[in-house]
Amino acid sequence: MEYKSFIGGAWHETSDSTPNVNPSDTSDILGHAAVGGADDMARAIDAAAGAAAQWAKSTPQQRFDVLDFIGSEILARKAELGELLSREEGKTLPEGIGEAARAGQIFKFFAGETLRQTGDILASVRPGIGVDVTRSPIGVVGLITPWNFPIAIPAWKIAPALAFGNAVVLKPAELVPGCAHALADIISRSGLPEGVFNLVFGRGSVVGPELIGSKKVNAISFTGSVGTGRSIAADCGKMLKKVQLEMGGKNPMVVLDDADLDIAVDACVNGAYFSTGQRCTASSRLIVTEGIHDKFVAAVEERLNNLNVGHALRKETHIGPVVDEKQLQQDLDYVDIAAKDGGKVIGGQRLNRDTEGFFMAPALVTETTNDMRINREEVFGPVASVVRVKDYDEALAVANDTEFGLSSGICTTSLKHASHFKANAEAGMVMVNLPTAGVDYHVPFGGTKASSFGSREQGTYAAEFYTTVKTAYTLP
């Protein structure tokens, strides 16, 4: 399979390509992705700029029809697309199918949003003058997406961008070209005018600066690392360009003495280890009060011993592989750092299976303090640490003691503590007796502090980024 860039309504080949390797079985090459250059990105930007005005004037029905077509085909093919996702990224097959279904639901939701776009009509404070407030598209939007959700995150950026009348240039992560290509293929057959959607494969260091620095691109939405996000923010700031960033997390899950132990273990294991821990919302810090600490650690260890790590497509697998060798080595390095800093490591070793892949036993690091590196820096793998605390007040303080603020959770049967935590957790999303990972598509997604910058993604709040507000005054 050749994964080509899609520019101005046509597929484009390049002289160079990179293999798409299955992390469950490195002998399985799914295809080869084009390696575009700055000139390819420039052509995509020109195509989007040329098509933007026409799409901005499209009717709600035209936009609905396009987005509904895309969502319907994704949902009809969710098993096929989910298998592709699991082969190239490493999620288990149920997780891959679930993510594909989520992408279809997102397009369906924003198809509906095209028909729900509203404005305001107000009386002026001056006699005889009318005031109306409307939203307009912002123009050409550059979208930069990560490898860990290779169809859902592109969907939740592309869908609102198109729904609100913008033209799009998508730059997906290099590790997961298959899902981006499949999504572009569906979009290419949706009735969308040529040039409104464009896909460019290539190295971020080569095509990224062209996208971010172009005066024809009106806004950038990025999901990825904090370092890259800060660099993009600085570049966009110099150009006064609208920017939206979703970055890292070091998400706490507080477990109080009064918690239901089974619920707490389920929430923590799911949040920390499922999807191989490769989620920005993963529960990487388990903050446990001393009365339940030992029972909780023993129960989590027992649960981890019963989880099967293996090939993502096999039914018996609970946790698939890490995405590639580089990420696996980073995960193993952090486990070593935690041990050297005084943590007690349970699991965390590289695993051999009957296929060559990037398999790792889930790691639980106990006897840690919140100032250790394992509790300060994002690992992005199947690794969680436990911090023992005295009581709720200390737990809340430790939970908030981080540069990040994406998702925060608590397991408790106390309505008092749950209510206080929801009000005082320094995070954009708060979970009570639920994993920190796992959100709905019709409500806002985003965080505080170094986790996010700019307006929220998803749901009706997506309009804040993908539109600009116009206020008009009329004297009849």
Side-chain angles (χ1 to χ4, degrees):
M1 180 70 180
E2 295 296 324
Y3 307 122
K4 303 174 184 178
S5 293
F6 185 71
I7 300 172
W11 298 100
H12 288 257
E13 296 182 356
T14 59
S15 59
D16 191 13
S17 66
T18 58
N20 187 14
V21 179
N22 182 345
S24 292
D25 179 0
T26 56
S27 68
D28 178 22
I29 306 299
L30 286 73
H32 290 80
V35 180
D39 54 340
D40 297 296
M41 180 59 76
R43 283 195 295 271
I45 293 168
D46 286 343
Q54 176 192 359
W55 186 243
K57 295 176 182 177
S58 60
T59 66
Q61 187 65 54
Q62 288 174 298
R63 299 180 196 176
F64 173 89
D65 290 344
V66 167
L67 271 70
D68 187 62
F69 175 95
I70 298 168
S72 294
E73 181 161 337
I74 292 172
L75 289 172
R77 296 172 56 194
K78 64 183 181 181
E80 170 199 346
L81 294 170
E83 181 176 341
L84 169 63
L85 190 158
S86 294
R87 284 179 68 198
E88 77 169 355
E89 190 271 343
K91 285 186 176 71
T92 64
L93 186 56
E95 291 171 335
I97 294 172
E99 182 180 333
R102 173 59 59 91
Q105 292 162 344
I106 290 166
F107 274 100
K108 287 282 196 177
F109 173 84
F110 282 104
E113 283 296 278
T114 66
L115 305 175
R116 292 189 288 264
Q117 295 179 35
T118 61
D120 297 305
I121 298 177
L122 303 92
S124 171
V125 295
R126 293 169 288 173
I129 296 176
V131 181
D132 56 270
V133 181
T134 57
R135 289 188 176 273
S136 302
I138 51 179
V140 177
V141 182
L143 308 178
I144 304 172
T145 57
W147 52 259
N148 62 319
F149 283 89
I151 195 166
I153 292 181
W156 80 49
K157 294 180 188 291
I158 296 167
L162 297 179
F164 297 120
N166 301 286
V168 168
V169 179
L170 171 66
K171 193 283 173 196
E174 298 159 55
L175 285 173
V176 286
C179 285
H181 186 272
L183 183 55
D185 175 63
I186 295 170
I187 294 172
S188 74
R189 294 180 281 99
S190 67
L192 192 69
E194 293 180 358
V196 176
F197 171 81
N198 304 271
L199 163 69
V200 179
F201 291 117
R203 297 181 178 89
S205 60
V206 176
V207 299
E210 184 72 26
L211 180 62
I212 296 161
S214 174
K215 293 181 179 179
K216 297 178 182 179
V217 176
N218 304 100
I220 297 290
S221 179
F222 165 84
T223 299
S225 70
V226 175
T228 302
R230 284 176 171 158
S231 176
I232 290 172
D235 291 340
C236 289
K238 293 173 185 176
M239 302 179 69
L240 301 181
K241 181 176 297 189
K242 198 170 188 180
V243 64
Q244 177 186 61
L245 308 173
E246 290 298 337
M247 299 173 286
K250 198 66 190 173
N251 309 293
M253 173 62 89
V254 170
V255 180
L256 298 184
D257 287 351
D258 63 11
D260 181 302
L261 184 61
D262 290 337
I263 289 175
V265 172
D266 285 345
C268 291
V269 170
N270 181 309
Y273 301 106
F274 285 15
S275 296
T276 322
Q278 296 174 152
R279 300 183 284 192
C280 57
T281 52
S283 311
S284 52
R285 293 185 299 141
L286 311 179
I287 302 167
V288 187
T289 49
E290 53 192 7
I292 199 173
H293 176 277
D294 292 351
K295 289 187 293 184
F296 172 81
V297 169
V300 170
E301 182 177 2
E302 181 181 2
R303 185 71 59 85
L304 295 184
N305 288 335
N306 291 319
L307 292 179
N308 184 38
V309 178
H311 195 294
L313 298 184
R314 294 180 181 171
K315 291 182 179 180
E316 67 271 17
T317 297
H318 300 108
I319 298 175
V322 176
V323 71
D324 69 355
E325 182 68 37
K326 180 180 178 182
Q327 185 63 47
L328 174 58
Q329 191 57 55
Q330 176 176 302
D331 297 344
L332 296 172
D333 288 346
Y334 269 107
V335 171
D336 288 343
I337 290 168
K340 291 175 182 176
D341 286 346
K344 178 185 175 184
V345 178
I346 301 167
Q349 70 275 20
R350 184 167 191 161
L351 299 174
N352 294 317
R353 293 294 183 259
D354 60 0
T355 55
E356 288 294 328
F358 311 116
F359 303 107
M360 177 180 174
L364 182 68
V365 186
T366 64
E367 306 303 326
T368 75
T369 57
N370 203 48
D371 58 351
M372 290 181 179
R373 281 186 65 186
I374 195 67
N375 289 318
R376 310 309 297 181
E377 301 171 13
E378 187 175 40
V379 178
F380 220 67
V383 181
S385 54
V386 179
V387 181
R388 187 197 304 255
V389 294
K390 180 177 59 176
D391 54 21
Y392 169 76
D393 290 337
E394 185 181 1
L396 177 62
V398 171
N400 288 337
D401 180 18
T402 173
E403 69 171 314
F404 300 106
L406 184 55
S407 186
S408 189
I410 187 170
C411 291
T412 180
T413 55
S414 166
L415 179 61
K416 172 186 174 182
H417 286 140
S419 299
H420 188 272
F421 189 83
K422 287 191 290 184
N424 292 278
E426 295 172 0
M429 297 175 289
V430 180
M431 312 293 182
V432 178
N433 295 323
L434 291 165
T436 56
V439 296
D440 292 350
Y441 59 85
H442 68 301
V443 293
F445 177 97
T448 61
K449 300 192 265 190
S451 290
S452 302
F453 182 84
S455 49
R456 290 290 189 258
E457 296 197 277
Q458 301 197 59
T460 58
Y461 283 72
E464 296 296 326
F465 179 72
Y466 291 102
T467 64
T468 185
V469 175
K470 180 182 293 184
T471 305
Y473 297 82
T474 303
L475 178 63

